[in-house]
């Protein structure tokens, strides 16, 4: 950058302005293209429209896919549904971009995800953004809301340090009632003695759950929640179909591929177990990963921790979300952003002093393999046919699992940041 500035001299500022302007135009055109297609936002707006018309938002017909979020979220999106076609999706993309920038700002300025020098900082963030670029683009392309949920969890975590426990709880409560996944942060609040945050999150969930009854009436409200429960329950046909569908990317679908003849293309399981036996093994594995959270917390309950240590704890909890929750698509793995920040920071910060150590080499190897399996398997690089095969074998899930030992190897480094 300094070389370019020196070469251009007085022309550097106009060049910089024109570059930013050109990139902004390209981004706006991309958002317009995504909003015209609508992505998954079409499903959200269809549910909001049904809510406005006094219909069951979970009942057919469906324009795109069956809606599986809460009645509260459909109610919130009613104003978007009343806008001309594509406008609501475009506004949501702009909001998502703002929240993405805000998330990066929080990671850099609150949690301290920075390199030791200007050059190291640029390298660090190049690595981080390159790794998560696939997930960010998928969220924009499908007009999804994972960017919103990741911001919400990190913003709530920031509030815990700024004496904003009530705000933190409200944020997590709203996120949990919209899409259940942020609920995993509530036990963390209890563990860190943030009782006001925990109870305000629970109260917010209960309040937001019942708010739609004001607009729908009791009968429709009860009907919709029965339908919603039938979708969320673990034995829902929608989740059972994940075992043979190549798109979902989580731990259960990976293990079904390894343990059961699913009948899907390219199906070559290591074992040939029944679905029930495989399901029991999956639940045991998920339980072990949840218990492993205690290792990453690193201290006894109620202990005070540094901001970087807090990010380390949260990163593992957030990494588990796309792994253990059912019906997760590729864009959901944007939740690994904090974990990527932690591992990349260790690699960049210790490059000069620890590059010959076995711990550093193992971490670097795991991180590189994770990047290749998660980001480099996009169809833009491999082509659609090969990319489909990688989706079948859940390379994104495998790559994400590799981040767990990478984080575990460097637990002592984060504990030392107190």
């Amino acid at each position: 950058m300094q070389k370019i500035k020196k070469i251009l001299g007085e022309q550097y500022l106009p060049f910089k302005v024109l570059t930013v302007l050109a990139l902004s135009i390209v981004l706006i055109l991309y958002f317009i293209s995504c909003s015209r297609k609508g992505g998954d936002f079409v499903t959200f707006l269809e549910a909001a429209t049904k809510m406005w018309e006094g219909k069951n938002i979970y009942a057919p017909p469906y324009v795109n896919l069956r809606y599986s979020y809460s009645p509260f979220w459909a109610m919130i999106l009613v104003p978007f549904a009343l806008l001309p076609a594509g406008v609501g999706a475009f506004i949501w993309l702009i909001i998502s971009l703002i929240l993405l920038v805000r998330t990066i700002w929080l990671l850099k300025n609150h949690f301290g995800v920075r390199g030791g020098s200007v050059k190291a900082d640029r390298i660090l963030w190049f690595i981080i953004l390159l790794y998560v670029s696939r997930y960010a683009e998928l969220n924009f392309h499908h007009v999804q809301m994972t960017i919103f949920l990741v911001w919400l969890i990190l913003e709530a975590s920031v509030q815990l340090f700024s004496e904003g426990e009530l705000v933190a709880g409200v944020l997590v409560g709203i996120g949990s009632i919209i899409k259940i996944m942020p609920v995993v942060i509530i036990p963390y609040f209890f563990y860190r003695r943030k009782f006001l945050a925990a109870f305000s999150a629970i109260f917010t969930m209960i309040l937001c759950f019942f708010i739609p009854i004001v607009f729908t009436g009791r009968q429709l409200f009860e009907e919709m929640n029965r339908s919603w429960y039938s979708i969320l329950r673990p034995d829902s046909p929608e989740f059972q179909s994940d075992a043979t569908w190549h798109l979902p990317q989580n731990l259960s679908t990976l293990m079904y591929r390894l343990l059961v003849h699913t009948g899907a293309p390219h199906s070559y399981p290591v074992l040939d177990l029944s679905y029930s036996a495989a399901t029991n093994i999956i639940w045991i594995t998920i339980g072990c990963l949840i218990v492993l959270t205690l290792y990453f917390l690193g201290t006894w309950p109620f202990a005070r921790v540094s901001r970087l240590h807090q990010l380390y704890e949260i990163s593992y909890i957030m990494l588990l979300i796309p792994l253990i929750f059912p019906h997760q698509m590729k864009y959901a793995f944007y939740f690994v952003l904090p974990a990527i920040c932690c591992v990349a920071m260790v690699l960049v910060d210790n490059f000069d002093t620890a590059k010959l150590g076995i711990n550093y080499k193992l971490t670097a190897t795991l991180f590189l393999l994770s990047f290749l399996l998660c980001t480099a398997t996009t169809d833009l690089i491999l082509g659609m046919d090969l990319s489909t095969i990688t989706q079948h074998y859940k390379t994104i899930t495998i790559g994400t699992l590799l981040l767990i030992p990478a984080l575990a190897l460097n637990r002592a480094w984060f504990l030392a940041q107190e």
Side-chain angles (χ1 to χ4, degrees):
M1 188 65 70
Q2 292 297 325
K3 291 181 180 179
I4 296 175
K5 187 175 182 179
K6 186 176 181 180
I7 293 171
L8 294 177
E10 294 181 357
Q11 302 300 317
Y12 176 73
L13 182 59
F15 170 78
K16 189 174 182 180
V17 172
L18 287 174
T19 301
V20 172
L21 182 61
L23 291 174
S24 299
I25 292 173
V26 170
L27 188 62
I28 290 172
L29 292 175
Y30 173 67
F31 280 1
I32 291 174
S33 174
C34 293
S35 60
R36 282 183 174 178
K37 297 175 184 176
D40 293 343
F41 210 71
V42 171
T43 302
F44 304 157
L45 295 183
E46 181 186 18
T49 301
K50 289 179 178 178
M51 174 76 77
W52 179 253
E53 295 172 349
K55 299 177 181 177
N56 185 345
I57 60 179
Y58 303 100
Y62 310 117
V63 174
N64 186 23
L65 299 170
R66 181 172 61 175
Y67 180 74
S68 59
Y69 291 58
S70 68
F72 175 77
W73 182 235
M75 182 192 71
I76 293 297
L77 290 179
V78 166
F80 288 83
L82 298 178
L83 296 171
V87 175
F90 183 81
I91 293 174
W92 182 252
L93 288 171
I94 296 297
I95 293 173
S96 297
L97 178 62
I98 293 171
L99 295 179
L100 173 61
V101 173
R102 171 65 177 172
T103 299
I104 293 172
W105 189 92
L106 291 175
L107 289 167
K108 291 188 68 173
N109 295 283
H110 175 80
F111 291 106
V113 181
R114 292 177 176 271
S117 64
V118 174
K119 181 179 179 181
D121 191 59
R122 289 174 179 169
I123 293 172
L124 172 65
W125 278 99
F126 174 79
I127 293 171
I128 294 169
L129 295 177
L130 180 63
Y131 190 111
V132 300
S133 60
R134 182 183 190 185
Y135 304 141
E137 191 279 330
L138 285 168
N139 273 277
F140 289 131
H141 180 77
H142 292 286
V143 199
Q144 257 291 334
M145 57 184 300
T146 314
I147 291 173
F148 163 71
L149 295 174
V150 169
W151 161 78
L152 182 147
I153 293 174
L154 291 178
E155 189 75 55
S157 301
V158 168
Q159 292 298 323
L160 293 180
F161 267 96
S162 57
E163 305 302 325
E165 283 192 52
L166 181 61
V167 175
V170 170
L171 287 173
V172 170
I174 291 174
S176 299
I177 198 62
I178 291 174
K179 191 171 186 179
I180 195 69
M181 295 185 292
V183 76
V184 298
I185 303 299
I186 296 178
Y188 176 76
F189 287 160
F190 280 110
Y191 193 88
R192 286 295 170 224
R193 203 179 182 181
K194 304 297 182 180
F195 297 132
L196 178 58
F199 286 116
S200 61
I202 295 170
F203 176 79
T204 301
M205 287 180 64
I206 296 172
L207 179 63
C208 291
F209 177 82
F210 284 104
I211 284 178
I213 198 173
V214 177
F215 303 95
T216 63
R218 180 178 176 180
Q219 183 176 352
L220 180 58
F221 176 77
E222 292 177 351
E223 179 186 346
M224 286 195 300
N225 280 289
R226 283 195 297 269
S227 300
W228 187 30
Y229 173 72
S230 70
I231 296 172
L232 293 180
R233 54 193 286 183
D235 59 345
S236 166
E238 181 177 354
F239 297 148
Q240 290 180 334
S241 67
D242 286 354
T244 57
W245 194 15
H246 75 281
L247 288 180
Q249 296 279 330
N250 62 0
L251 182 63
S252 62
T253 53
L254 169 65
M255 294 188 68
Y256 277 127
R257 289 289 191 274
L258 296 175
L259 302 176
V260 177
H261 277 289
T262 62
H266 316 292
S267 181
Y268 304 103
V270 176
L271 300 176
D272 185 13
L273 304 179
S274 66
Y275 272 96
S276 59
T279 300
N280 291 334
I281 294 175
I282 289 169
W283 279 113
I284 292 172
T285 305
I286 290 174
C288 291
L289 288 176
I290 293 173
V291 172
L292 191 61
T293 305
L294 295 173
Y295 175 83
F296 288 93
L297 292 173
T299 62
W300 292 102
F302 306 160
R304 296 181 64 87
V305 296
S306 68
R307 295 184 178 188
L308 197 56
H309 184 184
Q310 184 196 32
L311 179 65
Y312 179 71
E313 299 173 334
I314 294 292
S315 72
Y316 178 74
I317 296 172
M318 292 179 68
L319 180 147
L320 288 185
I321 289 175
L323 288 177
I324 67 176
F325 279 89
H327 203 62
Q328 298 302 300
M329 300 302 178
K330 291 177 288 185
Y331 49 73
F333 285 80
Y334 178 77
F335 274 106
V336 303
L337 173 58
I340 298 306
C341 288
C342 288
V343 179
M345 192 175 180
V346 168
L347 293 176
V348 173
D349 191 70
N350 296 286
F351 180 74
D352 293 331
T353 58
K355 59 182 178 181
L356 298 179
I358 185 64
N359 195 73
Y360 187 93
K361 289 182 178 180
L362 283 174
T363 302
T365 301
L366 290 167
F367 186 81
L368 178 60
L369 288 174
S370 178
F371 171 79
L372 293 174
L373 291 169
C374 294
T375 304
T377 52
T378 173
D379 53 13
L380 294 175
I381 297 175
L382 297 180
M384 185 59 71
D385 292 338
L386 287 177
S387 180
T388 300
I389 295 176
T390 64
Q391 289 183 77
H392 171 85
Y393 284 107
K394 313 304 172 192
T395 59
I396 288 178
T397 303
I398 296 171
T400 302
L401 287 169
L402 292 177
L403 292 174
I404 296 177
L407 284 171
L409 284 169
N410 296 281
R411 176 174 175 267
W413 189 85
F414 285 94
L415 288 175
Q417 305 304 309
E418 301 296 342

